[in-house]
Short mmCIF file of all heavy atoms in Angstrom, two decimals:
data_model
loop_
_atom_site.label_atom_id
_atom_site.label_comp_id
_atom_site.label_asym_id
_atom_site.label_seq_id
_atom_site.Cartn_x
_atom_site.Cartn_y
_atom_site.Cartn_z
N MET A 1 -12.50 -0.28 9.70
CA MET A 1 -11.22 -0.72 10.51
C MET A 1 -10.10 -0.03 9.76
O MET A 1 -9.08 0.41 10.36
CB MET A 1 -11.03 -2.24 10.40
CG MET A 1 -9.99 -2.77 11.34
SD MET A 1 -9.93 -4.65 11.32
CE MET A 1 -11.45 -4.92 12.18
N GLN A 2 -10.03 0.02 8.42
CA GLN A 2 -9.04 0.69 7.68
C GLN A 2 -9.04 2.16 7.96
O GLN A 2 -7.97 2.92 7.94
CB GLN A 2 -9.13 0.44 6.17
CG GLN A 2 -8.74 -1.07 5.81
CD GLN A 2 -8.85 -1.30 4.32
OE1 GLN A 2 -9.23 -0.52 3.54
NE2 GLN A 2 -8.43 -2.47 3.92
N SER A 3 -10.27 2.79 8.06
CA SER A 3 -10.39 4.29 8.24
C SER A 3 -9.64 4.70 9.62
O SER A 3 -9.36 5.81 9.74
CB SER A 3 -11.87 4.61 8.20
OG SER A 3 -12.62 3.99 9.22
N ALA A 4 -9.59 3.76 10.60
CA ALA A 4 -9.13 4.11 11.89
C ALA A 4 -7.58 3.93 11.96
O ALA A 4 -6.94 4.31 12.93
CB ALA A 4 -9.74 3.25 13.03
N SER A 5 -6.94 3.52 10.85
CA SER A 5 -5.51 3.28 10.77
C SER A 5 -4.85 4.60 10.48
O SER A 5 -5.35 5.46 9.75
CB SER A 5 -5.18 2.19 9.80
OG SER A 5 -5.53 2.49 8.43
N ARG A 6 -3.61 4.70 10.79
CA ARG A 6 -2.68 5.84 10.44
C ARG A 6 -1.30 5.42 10.09
O ARG A 6 -0.87 4.39 10.54
CB ARG A 6 -2.70 6.82 11.64
CG ARG A 6 -1.99 6.26 12.83
CD ARG A 6 -1.96 7.35 13.94
NE ARG A 6 -1.39 6.84 15.18
CZ ARG A 6 -0.10 6.92 15.43
NH1 ARG A 6 0.74 7.41 14.52
NH2 ARG A 6 0.43 6.43 16.50
N GLU A 7 -0.81 6.17 9.24
CA GLU A 7 0.59 5.79 8.75
C GLU A 7 1.67 6.25 9.74
O GLU A 7 1.59 7.41 10.29
CB GLU A 7 0.89 6.53 7.43
CG GLU A 7 2.25 6.17 6.85
CD GLU A 7 2.51 6.68 5.37
OE1 GLU A 7 1.52 6.55 4.64
OE2 GLU A 7 3.57 7.28 5.24
N VAL A 8 2.58 5.40 10.09
CA VAL A 8 3.68 5.66 10.98
C VAL A 8 4.91 6.03 10.22
O VAL A 8 5.57 7.02 10.59
CB VAL A 8 3.94 4.47 11.86
CG1 VAL A 8 5.06 4.61 12.73
CG2 VAL A 8 2.71 4.06 12.71
N ALA A 9 5.18 5.26 9.14
CA ALA A 9 6.43 5.59 8.35
C ALA A 9 6.24 4.93 6.98
O ALA A 9 5.74 3.94 6.87
CB ALA A 9 7.74 5.00 9.06
N ALA A 10 6.80 5.63 5.94
CA ALA A 10 6.84 5.15 4.61
C ALA A 10 8.07 4.18 4.57
O ALA A 10 9.17 4.59 4.88
CB ALA A 10 7.02 6.21 3.59
N LEU A 11 7.90 2.94 4.04
CA LEU A 11 8.95 2.04 3.92
C LEU A 11 9.55 1.92 2.47
O LEU A 11 10.75 1.84 2.36
CB LEU A 11 8.40 0.60 4.30
CG LEU A 11 8.01 0.50 5.75
CD1 LEU A 11 7.38 -0.84 6.07
CD2 LEU A 11 8.96 0.95 6.82
N LYS A 12 8.66 2.03 1.54
CA LYS A 12 9.07 1.85 0.08
C LYS A 12 8.11 2.28 -0.79
O LYS A 12 6.85 2.21 -0.48
CB LYS A 12 9.48 0.40 -0.12
CG LYS A 12 9.97 0.06 -1.62
CD LYS A 12 10.14 -1.37 -1.73
CE LYS A 12 10.51 -1.77 -3.13
NZ LYS A 12 10.67 -3.19 -3.38
N ALA A 13 8.41 2.84 -1.91
CA ALA A 13 7.48 3.26 -2.98
C ALA A 13 8.10 3.04 -4.31
O ALA A 13 9.31 3.40 -4.55
CB ALA A 13 7.05 4.68 -2.85
N ASP A 14 7.32 2.30 -5.22
CA ASP A 14 7.78 2.18 -6.62
C ASP A 14 6.60 2.21 -7.48
O ASP A 14 5.53 2.53 -7.09
CB ASP A 14 8.66 0.80 -6.67
CG ASP A 14 7.93 -0.29 -6.28
OD1 ASP A 14 6.69 -0.41 -6.47
OD2 ASP A 14 8.46 -1.35 -5.72
N SER A 15 6.83 1.72 -8.69
CA SER A 15 5.80 1.75 -9.68
C SER A 15 4.72 0.78 -9.50
O SER A 15 3.60 0.91 -10.12
CB SER A 15 6.37 1.46 -11.23
OG SER A 15 7.40 2.37 -11.41
N PHE A 16 4.93 -0.17 -8.48
CA PHE A 16 3.91 -1.21 -8.32
C PHE A 16 3.17 -0.94 -6.95
O PHE A 16 2.54 -1.95 -6.55
CB PHE A 16 4.59 -2.59 -8.40
CG PHE A 16 5.06 -2.99 -9.71
CD1 PHE A 16 6.42 -2.97 -9.96
CD2 PHE A 16 4.21 -3.23 -10.77
CE1 PHE A 16 6.87 -3.24 -11.31
CE2 PHE A 16 4.62 -3.50 -11.98
CZ PHE A 16 5.95 -3.58 -12.34
N GLY A 17 3.39 0.15 -6.27
CA GLY A 17 2.64 0.44 -5.07
C GLY A 17 3.56 1.07 -4.08
O GLY A 17 4.70 1.20 -4.30
N ARG A 18 2.89 1.41 -2.99
CA ARG A 18 3.52 2.18 -1.83
C ARG A 18 3.32 1.17 -0.61
O ARG A 18 2.20 0.76 -0.35
CB ARG A 18 2.93 3.51 -1.65
CG ARG A 18 3.56 4.32 -0.54
CD ARG A 18 2.91 5.75 -0.64
NE ARG A 18 3.68 6.61 0.26
CZ ARG A 18 3.49 6.79 1.60
NH1 ARG A 18 2.56 6.00 2.19
NH2 ARG A 18 4.18 7.62 2.26
N ILE A 19 4.50 0.95 0.08
CA ILE A 19 4.51 0.25 1.28
C ILE A 19 4.77 1.10 2.54
O ILE A 19 5.69 1.83 2.50
CB ILE A 19 5.58 -0.97 1.19
CG1 ILE A 19 5.35 -1.76 -0.02
CG2 ILE A 19 5.47 -1.74 2.42
CD1 ILE A 19 6.36 -2.87 -0.23
N ALA A 20 3.89 1.02 3.43
CA ALA A 20 4.05 1.87 4.63
C ALA A 20 3.71 1.00 5.88
O ALA A 20 3.05 0.02 5.96
CB ALA A 20 3.06 2.94 4.56
N LEU A 21 4.48 1.50 6.91
CA LEU A 21 4.21 0.98 8.30
C LEU A 21 2.95 1.73 8.93
O LEU A 21 2.94 2.91 8.90
CB LEU A 21 5.36 1.17 9.26
CG LEU A 21 5.29 0.57 10.52
CD1 LEU A 21 5.11 -0.99 10.61
CD2 LEU A 21 6.57 0.90 11.41
N MET A 22 1.96 0.89 9.27
CA MET A 22 0.74 1.53 9.78
C MET A 22 0.40 1.11 11.12
O MET A 22 0.99 0.14 11.73
CB MET A 22 -0.46 1.05 8.81
CG MET A 22 -0.29 1.13 7.44
SD MET A 22 -0.34 2.86 6.82
CE MET A 22 -2.02 3.36 7.07
N ARG A 23 -0.53 1.90 11.82
CA ARG A 23 -0.91 1.45 13.22
C ARG A 23 -2.45 1.68 13.23
O ARG A 23 -3.06 2.69 12.68
CB ARG A 23 -0.33 2.30 14.14
CG ARG A 23 -0.68 1.90 15.62
CD ARG A 23 -0.11 2.95 16.68
NE ARG A 23 1.39 2.91 16.79
CZ ARG A 23 2.08 2.01 17.51
NH1 ARG A 23 1.46 1.17 18.22
NH2 ARG A 23 3.28 2.09 17.50
N ASP A 24 -3.07 0.64 13.81
CA ASP A 24 -4.60 0.77 14.16
C ASP A 24 -4.73 0.39 15.55
O ASP A 24 -3.80 0.07 16.35
CB ASP A 24 -5.50 0.03 13.23
CG ASP A 24 -5.07 -1.49 13.14
OD1 ASP A 24 -4.44 -1.93 14.04
OD2 ASP A 24 -5.76 -2.15 12.28
N HIS A 25 -6.01 0.03 15.91
CA HIS A 25 -6.24 -0.33 17.39
C HIS A 25 -5.59 -1.60 17.70
O HIS A 25 -5.45 -1.93 18.83
CB HIS A 25 -7.84 -0.47 17.58
CG HIS A 25 -8.43 -1.54 16.76
ND1 HIS A 25 -8.70 -1.43 15.41
CD2 HIS A 25 -8.76 -2.85 17.13
CE1 HIS A 25 -9.25 -2.58 15.12
NE2 HIS A 25 -9.26 -3.41 16.11
N GLY A 26 -5.27 -2.42 16.63
CA GLY A 26 -4.55 -3.74 16.92
C GLY A 26 -3.04 -3.67 17.05
O GLY A 26 -2.49 -4.72 17.44
N GLY A 27 -2.46 -2.51 16.65
CA GLY A 27 -1.06 -2.43 16.67
C GLY A 27 -0.53 -2.08 15.34
O GLY A 27 -1.19 -1.63 14.41
N LEU A 28 0.81 -2.43 15.13
CA LEU A 28 1.53 -2.14 13.92
C LEU A 28 1.21 -3.17 12.87
O LEU A 28 1.00 -4.43 13.11
CB LEU A 28 2.95 -2.08 14.15
CG LEU A 28 3.51 -0.94 14.98
CD1 LEU A 28 5.01 -1.12 15.32
CD2 LEU A 28 3.25 0.41 14.33
N PHE A 29 1.09 -2.72 11.61
CA PHE A 29 1.03 -3.71 10.44
C PHE A 29 1.67 -2.94 9.30
O PHE A 29 1.97 -1.81 9.28
CB PHE A 29 -0.39 -4.14 10.22
CG PHE A 29 -1.35 -3.01 9.87
CD1 PHE A 29 -1.59 -2.78 8.50
CD2 PHE A 29 -2.01 -2.26 10.68
CE1 PHE A 29 -2.47 -1.84 8.13
CE2 PHE A 29 -2.86 -1.30 10.36
CZ PHE A 29 -3.10 -1.13 9.03
N VAL A 30 1.81 -3.73 8.17
CA VAL A 30 2.36 -3.15 7.03
C VAL A 30 1.42 -3.24 5.75
O VAL A 30 0.67 -4.22 5.68
CB VAL A 30 3.63 -4.00 6.55
CG1 VAL A 30 4.23 -3.59 5.13
CG2 VAL A 30 4.72 -3.98 7.52
N ARG A 31 1.32 -2.14 5.17
CA ARG A 31 0.23 -2.04 4.07
C ARG A 31 0.89 -1.81 2.74
O ARG A 31 1.76 -0.90 2.60
CB ARG A 31 -0.71 -0.82 4.33
CG ARG A 31 -1.59 -0.48 3.11
CD ARG A 31 -2.66 0.45 3.59
NE ARG A 31 -3.69 -0.19 4.50
CZ ARG A 31 -4.61 0.50 5.16
NH1 ARG A 31 -4.63 1.81 5.06
NH2 ARG A 31 -5.39 -0.15 5.88
N ARG A 32 0.51 -2.49 1.81
CA ARG A 32 0.89 -2.26 0.28
C ARG A 32 -0.35 -1.68 -0.37
O ARG A 32 -1.41 -2.28 -0.43
CB ARG A 32 1.24 -3.63 -0.43
CG ARG A 32 1.58 -3.41 -1.85
CD ARG A 32 1.85 -4.79 -2.56
NE ARG A 32 2.99 -5.37 -2.05
CZ ARG A 32 4.26 -5.05 -2.35
NH1 ARG A 32 4.52 -4.18 -3.28
NH2 ARG A 32 5.25 -5.75 -1.89
N ASP A 33 -0.15 -0.34 -0.78
CA ASP A 33 -1.30 0.35 -1.21
C ASP A 33 -1.09 0.53 -2.81
O ASP A 33 -0.03 1.20 -3.24
CB ASP A 33 -1.43 1.74 -0.50
CG ASP A 33 -2.77 2.35 -0.72
OD1 ASP A 33 -3.43 2.07 -1.73
OD2 ASP A 33 -3.10 3.15 0.20
N LEU A 34 -2.09 0.20 -3.57
CA LEU A 34 -1.98 0.39 -5.07
C LEU A 34 -2.79 1.53 -5.54
O LEU A 34 -2.83 1.76 -6.74
CB LEU A 34 -2.59 -0.86 -5.70
CG LEU A 34 -2.18 -2.26 -5.25
CD1 LEU A 34 -2.79 -3.31 -6.02
CD2 LEU A 34 -0.63 -2.36 -5.24
N VAL A 35 -3.25 2.41 -4.68
CA VAL A 35 -4.00 3.50 -5.07
C VAL A 35 -3.44 4.48 -6.03
O VAL A 35 -3.96 5.07 -6.84
CB VAL A 35 -4.74 4.28 -3.87
CG1 VAL A 35 -3.61 4.95 -3.06
CG2 VAL A 35 -5.79 5.11 -4.30
N HIS A 36 -2.15 4.74 -5.86
CA HIS A 36 -1.35 5.68 -6.66
C HIS A 36 -0.55 4.93 -7.72
O HIS A 36 0.19 5.71 -8.47
CB HIS A 36 -0.37 6.48 -5.75
CG HIS A 36 -1.06 7.24 -4.62
ND1 HIS A 36 -2.01 8.22 -5.03
CD2 HIS A 36 -0.92 7.23 -3.37
CE1 HIS A 36 -2.59 8.75 -3.84
NE2 HIS A 36 -1.83 8.21 -2.88
N VAL A 37 -0.78 3.78 -8.04
CA VAL A 37 -0.09 3.13 -9.17
C VAL A 37 -0.64 3.70 -10.55
O VAL A 37 -1.83 3.88 -10.58
CB VAL A 37 -0.38 1.50 -9.17
CG1 VAL A 37 0.09 0.85 -10.44
CG2 VAL A 37 0.12 1.02 -7.90
N PRO A 38 0.32 4.04 -11.39
CA PRO A 38 -0.18 4.54 -12.74
C PRO A 38 -1.19 3.65 -13.42
O PRO A 38 -1.01 2.39 -13.20
CB PRO A 38 1.17 4.59 -13.55
CG PRO A 38 2.24 4.70 -12.50
CD PRO A 38 1.71 3.88 -11.33
N LEU A 39 -1.98 4.10 -14.19
CA LEU A 39 -3.12 3.48 -14.90
C LEU A 39 -2.56 2.23 -15.59
O LEU A 39 -3.08 1.14 -15.59
CB LEU A 39 -3.93 4.34 -15.79
CG LEU A 39 -5.14 3.71 -16.40
CD1 LEU A 39 -6.09 3.24 -15.29
CD2 LEU A 39 -5.78 4.72 -17.37
N TRP A 40 -1.36 2.41 -16.41
CA TRP A 40 -0.98 1.34 -17.27
C TRP A 40 -0.34 0.31 -16.54
O TRP A 40 0.06 -0.70 -17.09
CB TRP A 40 -0.02 2.07 -18.28
CG TRP A 40 1.26 2.70 -17.73
CD1 TRP A 40 1.41 3.74 -17.01
CD2 TRP A 40 2.51 2.05 -17.80
NE1 TRP A 40 2.77 3.99 -16.62
CE2 TRP A 40 3.48 2.99 -17.10
CE3 TRP A 40 3.10 0.88 -18.38
CZ2 TRP A 40 4.85 2.73 -17.03
CZ3 TRP A 40 4.50 0.60 -18.14
CH2 TRP A 40 5.25 1.49 -17.58
N LEU A 41 -0.03 0.47 -15.21
CA LEU A 41 0.61 -0.56 -14.46
C LEU A 41 -0.27 -1.20 -13.41
O LEU A 41 0.10 -2.03 -12.66
CB LEU A 41 1.84 -0.05 -13.70
CG LEU A 41 3.06 0.21 -14.55
CD1 LEU A 41 4.17 0.90 -13.68
CD2 LEU A 41 3.66 -1.05 -15.14
N ARG A 42 -1.62 -0.84 -13.41
CA ARG A 42 -2.55 -1.23 -12.39
C ARG A 42 -2.85 -2.83 -12.49
O ARG A 42 -2.87 -3.45 -11.45
CB ARG A 42 -3.81 -0.53 -12.48
CG ARG A 42 -3.64 0.93 -11.87
CD ARG A 42 -5.08 1.64 -11.86
NE ARG A 42 -4.80 2.94 -11.30
CZ ARG A 42 -5.78 3.92 -11.37
NH1 ARG A 42 -7.01 3.51 -11.65
NH2 ARG A 42 -5.42 5.12 -10.88
N VAL A 43 -2.91 -3.35 -13.68
CA VAL A 43 -3.06 -4.75 -13.81
C VAL A 43 -1.88 -5.55 -13.30
O VAL A 43 -2.10 -6.49 -12.51
CB VAL A 43 -3.45 -5.15 -15.26
CG1 VAL A 43 -3.47 -6.66 -15.38
CG2 VAL A 43 -4.82 -4.56 -15.62
N PRO A 44 -0.67 -5.38 -13.67
CA PRO A 44 0.43 -6.05 -13.14
C PRO A 44 0.62 -5.81 -11.62
O PRO A 44 1.00 -6.80 -10.88
CB PRO A 44 1.71 -5.67 -13.96
CG PRO A 44 1.28 -4.31 -14.56
CD PRO A 44 -0.17 -4.42 -14.79
N ALA A 45 0.35 -4.56 -11.24
CA ALA A 45 0.48 -4.36 -9.74
C ALA A 45 -0.56 -5.16 -8.93
O ALA A 45 -0.15 -5.75 -7.92
CB ALA A 45 0.32 -2.87 -9.47
N TRP A 46 -1.77 -5.23 -9.53
CA TRP A 46 -2.87 -5.99 -8.78
C TRP A 46 -2.51 -7.41 -8.87
O TRP A 46 -2.66 -8.18 -7.85
CB TRP A 46 -4.17 -5.70 -9.58
CG TRP A 46 -5.29 -6.66 -9.11
CD1 TRP A 46 -6.08 -6.46 -8.11
CD2 TRP A 46 -5.59 -7.88 -9.69
NE1 TRP A 46 -6.96 -7.56 -7.89
CE2 TRP A 46 -6.70 -8.45 -8.91
CE3 TRP A 46 -5.20 -8.57 -10.76
CZ2 TRP A 46 -7.25 -9.66 -9.14
CZ3 TRP A 46 -5.86 -9.97 -11.00
CH2 TRP A 46 -6.83 -10.28 -10.25
N TRP A 47 -1.97 -7.85 -9.94
CA TRP A 47 -1.55 -9.43 -10.03
C TRP A 47 -0.50 -9.75 -9.05
O TRP A 47 -0.66 -10.77 -8.38
CB TRP A 47 -1.10 -9.62 -11.52
CG TRP A 47 -0.81 -11.05 -11.75
CD1 TRP A 47 -1.52 -11.99 -12.01
CD2 TRP A 47 0.61 -11.59 -11.80
NE1 TRP A 47 -0.84 -13.23 -12.18
CE2 TRP A 47 0.49 -12.91 -12.05
CE3 TRP A 47 1.85 -11.05 -11.64
CZ2 TRP A 47 1.52 -13.79 -12.14
CZ3 TRP A 47 3.00 -11.85 -11.63
CH2 TRP A 47 2.84 -13.23 -12.02
N LEU A 48 0.50 -8.86 -8.95
CA LEU A 48 1.62 -9.20 -7.95
C LEU A 48 0.99 -9.13 -6.47
O LEU A 48 1.46 -10.01 -5.68
CB LEU A 48 2.65 -8.14 -8.12
CG LEU A 48 3.53 -8.30 -9.32
CD1 LEU A 48 4.48 -7.09 -9.50
CD2 LEU A 48 4.31 -9.61 -9.29
#
């Protein structure tokens, strides 16, 4: 389901993750992605 989604627009990016407007077969949704969070901030980013 996630693999079929595509990014429509970037909304915000900071040290705790990247937020983007996404679209999949169900319509628009918002994703907070922690994949690019620096290693030393991954625990607090995951906790939040």
Side-chain angles (χ1 to χ4, degrees):
M1 196 174 290
Q2 289 184 352
S3 61
S5 63
R6 63 180 179 84
E7 182 173 316
V8 175
L11 301 179
K12 178 183 176 182
D14 57 33
S15 301
F16 295 107
R18 186 173 188 274
I19 302 175
L21 181 63
M22 309 289 294
R23 183 186 293 277
D24 64 9
H25 68 280
L28 294 172
F29 65 96
V30 176
R31 169 170 292 169
R32 179 184 296 277
D33 198 335
L34 311 183
V35 68
H36 297 302
V37 172
L39 183 62
W40 65 285
L41 283 175
R42 285 184 183 176
V43 171
W46 172 86
W47 181 79
L48 287 170

